């Protein structure tokens, strides 16, 4: 039986989320309630048994287009999720398409998942570039750290990426709270911002937005002065103008059109978690 989750399912779903995402119970419950929303989670179960599998279909927007972000797939041990998930996704696409939604987005876990999604109509039109580079030292590079509110961060994100496929601010608040608990740092100034983790001698940037390459360099240099890390690994959208032509293309987001296709040249899809 397939049904929507209720508050009574929270404990069982948190346990599924903990195993699948390798996260804490508090973060799992926060994701379920504040990012996905229990009302957006589909459950597969046998009558009288605990949930066997789940999939979230979270509403998102891209300009004037309404879509869903399919995410959070998880199943009990022994449940053949690899066989069940395509059927769950197909049911979601059909139902949300009939409800007037324009598109669905997903991030495949691996190449074989991406191939399976292609058979359901998903296209790899939302890639990223990954760039690895040394950070030149500059003692005078200035920036502030962890001072951006989520509201301001979202404002800046939309300035630099107007075609952002976005969640509501309340969901992003939960995402940023969880990222901070895992050690995320935000570096920012009037000309841009970056979100990064420090891993050894490398700053792992989940996102970097700036007016131009020079402004991006200043953010990297300020982060180097704070951490001592001499290298950066940066994820950029393929259509970003920063360090244009540098880095290698890597798969990330896939999109399925639930109605008439529309251009995605300027689309930016990066949910961070």
């Amino acid at each position: 039986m397939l049904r929507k989750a209720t508050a009574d399912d929270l404990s069982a779903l948190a346990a599924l989320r903990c195993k699948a995402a390798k996260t804490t119970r508090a973060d799992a419950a926060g994701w379920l309630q504040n990012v996905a929303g229990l009302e957006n989670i589909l459950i597969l179960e046998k009558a009288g048994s605990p949930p066997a599998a789940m999939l979230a279909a979270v509403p998102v927007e891209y300009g004037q287009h309404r879509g869903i972000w399919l995410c959070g797939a998880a199943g009990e041990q022994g449940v053949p999720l690899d066989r069940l998930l395509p059927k769950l996704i197909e049911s979601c696409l059909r139902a949300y398409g009939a409800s007037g939604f324009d598109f669905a987005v997903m991030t495949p876990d691996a190449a074989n998942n991406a191939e399976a999604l292609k058979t359901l109509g998903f296209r790899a039109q939302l890639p990223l570039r990954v760039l690895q580079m040394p950070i030149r030292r500059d003692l005078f590079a200035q920036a502030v750290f962890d001072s951006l509110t989520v509201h301001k961060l979202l404002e800046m994100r939309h300035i630099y990426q107007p075609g952002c496929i976005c969640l509501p601010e309340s969901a992003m608040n939960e995402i940023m709270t969880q990222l901070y608990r895992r050690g995320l740092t935000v570096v920012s100034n009037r000309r841009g911002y970056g979100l990064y983790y420090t891993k050894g001698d490398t700053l792992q940037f989940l996102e970097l937005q700036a007016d131009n390459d020079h402004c991006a360099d200043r953010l990297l240099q300020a982060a180097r002065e704070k951490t001592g890390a001499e290298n950066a690994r940066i994820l950029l959208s393929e259509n970003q103008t920063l360090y244009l032509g540098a880095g290698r293309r890597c798969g990330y987001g896939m999109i399925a059109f639930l109605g008439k296709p529309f251009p995605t040249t300027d689309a930016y899809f990066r949910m961070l978690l």
Side-chain angles (χ1 to χ4, degrees):
M1 180 176 74
L2 190 63
R3 64 173 176 84
K4 287 193 173 184
T6 68
D8 293 337
D9 299 308
L10 180 58
S11 180
L13 296 181
L16 289 180
R17 174 73 182 171
C18 281
K19 293 176 185 176
K22 296 179 175 58
T23 189
T24 66
R25 195 168 187 87
D27 279 357
W31 187 89
L32 291 163
Q33 294 174 294
N34 303 323
V35 178
L38 288 171
E39 70 278 8
N40 299 316
I41 296 174
L42 297 175
I43 288 176
L44 187 65
E45 67 177 5
K46 289 184 179 179
S49 299
M54 71 172 187
L55 176 68
V58 184
V60 292
E61 293 182 350
Y62 170 51
Q64 300 300 312
H65 298 285
R66 289 194 309 152
I68 52 167
W69 170 34
L70 297 174
C71 56
E76 275 287 3
Q77 188 173 2
V79 172
L81 196 60
D82 57 334
R83 296 205 305 270
L84 290 173
L85 192 56
K87 296 177 182 178
L88 280 173
I89 293 172
E90 189 174 16
S91 296
C92 281
L93 298 180
R94 188 165 51 247
Y96 281 92
S99 299
F101 283 76
D102 301 313
F103 68 96
V105 285
M106 282 194 78
T107 52
D109 294 329
N112 58 329
N113 299 119
E115 289 303 313
L117 289 176
K118 286 179 183 178
T119 66
L120 296 172
F122 281 87
R123 306 176 187 180
Q125 293 184 348
L126 304 170
L128 299 176
R129 280 184 293 138
V130 60
L131 172 63
Q132 293 183 273
M133 58 187 288
I135 305 171
R136 182 175 60 84
R137 189 165 194 189
D138 187 336
L139 296 173
F140 299 103
Q142 293 187 345
V144 294
F145 295 88
D146 298 329
S147 66
L148 278 186
T149 64
V150 173
H151 182 76
K152 184 62 177 177
L153 186 146
L154 291 178
E155 281 187 351
M156 294 182 72
R157 196 184 209 202
H158 279 91
I159 289 170
Y160 289 109
Q161 298 279 181
C164 187
I165 295 173
C166 56
L167 288 165
E169 186 175 332
S170 57
M172 286 300 293
N173 266 311
E174 178 66 29
I175 287 175
M176 292 303 295
T177 296
Q178 293 195 18
L179 291 175
Y180 278 130
R181 283 203 289 260
R182 298 175 195 176
L184 182 82
T185 298
V186 180
V187 57
S188 63
N189 57 28
R190 291 181 300 169
R191 308 294 297 276
Y193 71 89
L195 314 177
Y196 70 88
Y197 290 104
T198 303
K199 187 174 181 181
D201 192 38
T202 300
L203 301 179
Q204 307 266 358
F205 275 84
L206 303 183
E207 188 164 288
L208 181 65
Q209 308 282 0
D211 291 352
N212 50 48
D213 288 2
H214 173 71
C215 294
D217 287 343
R218 299 294 280 180
L219 291 168
L220 297 179
Q221 289 158 0
R224 171 179 169 155
E225 294 307 315
K226 178 180 174 64
T227 63
E230 299 178 359
N231 300 287
R233 182 181 186 275
I234 309 166
L235 287 175
L236 302 167
S237 67
E238 190 175 45
N239 61 21
Q240 239 173 304
T241 56
L242 290 184
Y243 307 119
L244 198 59
R248 62 177 175 82
R249 192 178 193 264
C250 62
Y252 180 68
M254 301 183 74
I255 187 167
F257 299 106
L258 306 183
K260 184 179 178 180
F262 50 85
T264 59
T265 305
D266 297 326
Y268 174 57
F269 178 52
R270 185 80 177 98
M271 291 305 181
L272 301 177
L273 279 181

